[in-house]
Amino acid sequence: MFVSREKLCYVLNEEKLAYVKGKNGENGNAAMTVNRVIVLLGFVSGVAVAVIGTLLSQYIAGLPKDSLDRNDYRHVFIPLPSEGRLNVYKETILDVALPNGQLIRQLEIENSRASVAEALTSLHLALEMKLTGKQKKAIKLFQHAVALAPHHPDILNHYGEFLEYTQNDVIKANEYYVRALTYQPNHEGALMNSQRTARVVEELDRRILRRIDEKRNALSAIPDNNAALIRAKKEAYFQHIYHTVGIEGNTMNLAQTRAIVETRTAIAGKSIDEHNEILGLDAAMKYINATLVNRVGSISIKDILEIHTRVLGHVDPVEGGQFRRTQVYVGGHVPPGPGDIHSLMDEFALWLNSERAIRMHPVRYAALAHYKLVHIHPFSDGNGRTSRLLMNMILMQAGYPPVIIHKQHRHTYYENLRIANTGNVRPFVRFIAECTEQTLDLFLWATSEFSRQVPALSQDTLFTERQSTIALEDDSDSGATDAFDNDDHDDDDDDDDDDDDDVVNDNN
């Protein structure tokens, strides 16, 4: 069959068009599938990016801005900086870490400005009350000013003048003059006042020590087999344990303390450590009575370690009799580092056995030995108890009954130690002298013909009429006296030295 050329071309063109359309349809379907996959992936990626971005922004918002700026990444818990530095972040100050002492000083300056301003206002009001004769209001205002600014020399000096001229308390006034000079050595008013009162104070101190010696001699004249004296010593023994552990926070009462010592009976509701503190002190006191009180010769470091071994033996046998190997902190006082303990204790032993120390009045000698040892703080625990036992051992070797610090007067005790750390150890020596005299008074009262029974040794009524030159917060101090069952000793009452002025500088 014949097909024209035109028709053939038409047919070919139609087939080619159909083929092209078929190819285009297949390509179009594939393209649509790819597009759908791309859109889906893009959607999923967008959601993921949004979620991650949200979480990251919340994390960033939760971090301190300064920490991000400095890359200061912190662990969950950091008790103290490892290098002894503190980073303080504030909006306006301190962009870098400061040494600890410098930081503390800067913060003290900032925080004390308002207190000093208020203290000076209180001082001016106190001076006005003083001029108008309103003494009670004046003394409260003075005390308030001192509490707010305890290092301000003007406030300390004015308060000293008030105590001297209005209250007739020369000893306490001199203490405030000396404190003012501690913080400002060239303070003209305090310097003149201190020099004027120094000789008066020294003479008053000598009188107190002579009075104490007279009472010691009276007690020494009582026979050792006197029944009242034996009862007094036994009662005082329990009192000593009770108050000595009590000042450290032990909650046992006197009856419970006596029961533990005498019967070794456990007290319900009390901790094991409280029981062991009492047993440890009992062991230390028995050791002193049996070996050290009657021994003639020098006091060695080994003796102190033996005392501490027994003080801490029931509480912590591992640390008992061992010098500490870590740094400790005692309120505002930072004792020497552990690396200095051995050398400082060697120096302390040399001082203990030096002629200069032995020539001191026994009360001064014992008080300074107590202070020096507790200042070094050679043990991880039990420093106060060991220091008081050393003090009492020295007193007993000189014929005095051992004394304690009444638990109710722990504030006065610690305050005098704090003042000693500033450079004036005399108030602490006077405080120990006052406790010694009160102990003697109680023994003399207990052995007098007017006493039918051993006193409770904590009666405040015994001291209501005392005319003491030593100013304490409470004149009823330490009715709770203590005695180890020891014999009286040599009668050395040499009180010719004033060598306790510079003892603080010997310690460190």
Side-chain angles (χ1 to χ4, degrees), residues 14 48 69 151 204 245 252 263 295 313 371 501:
E14 286 293 322
D69 293 342
H151 302 160
L204 290 173
V245 298
M252 296 282 188
T263 67
R295 193 186 69 185
Y371 169 70
D501 287 326

Side-chain angles (χ1 to χ4, degrees), residues 9-23:
C9 290
Y10 177 79
V11 173
L12 293 173
N13 288 336
E14 286 293 322
E15 291 178 356
K16 183 178 181 181
L17 181 61
Y19 175 80
V20 171
K21 286 183 178 179
K23 294 291 288 183

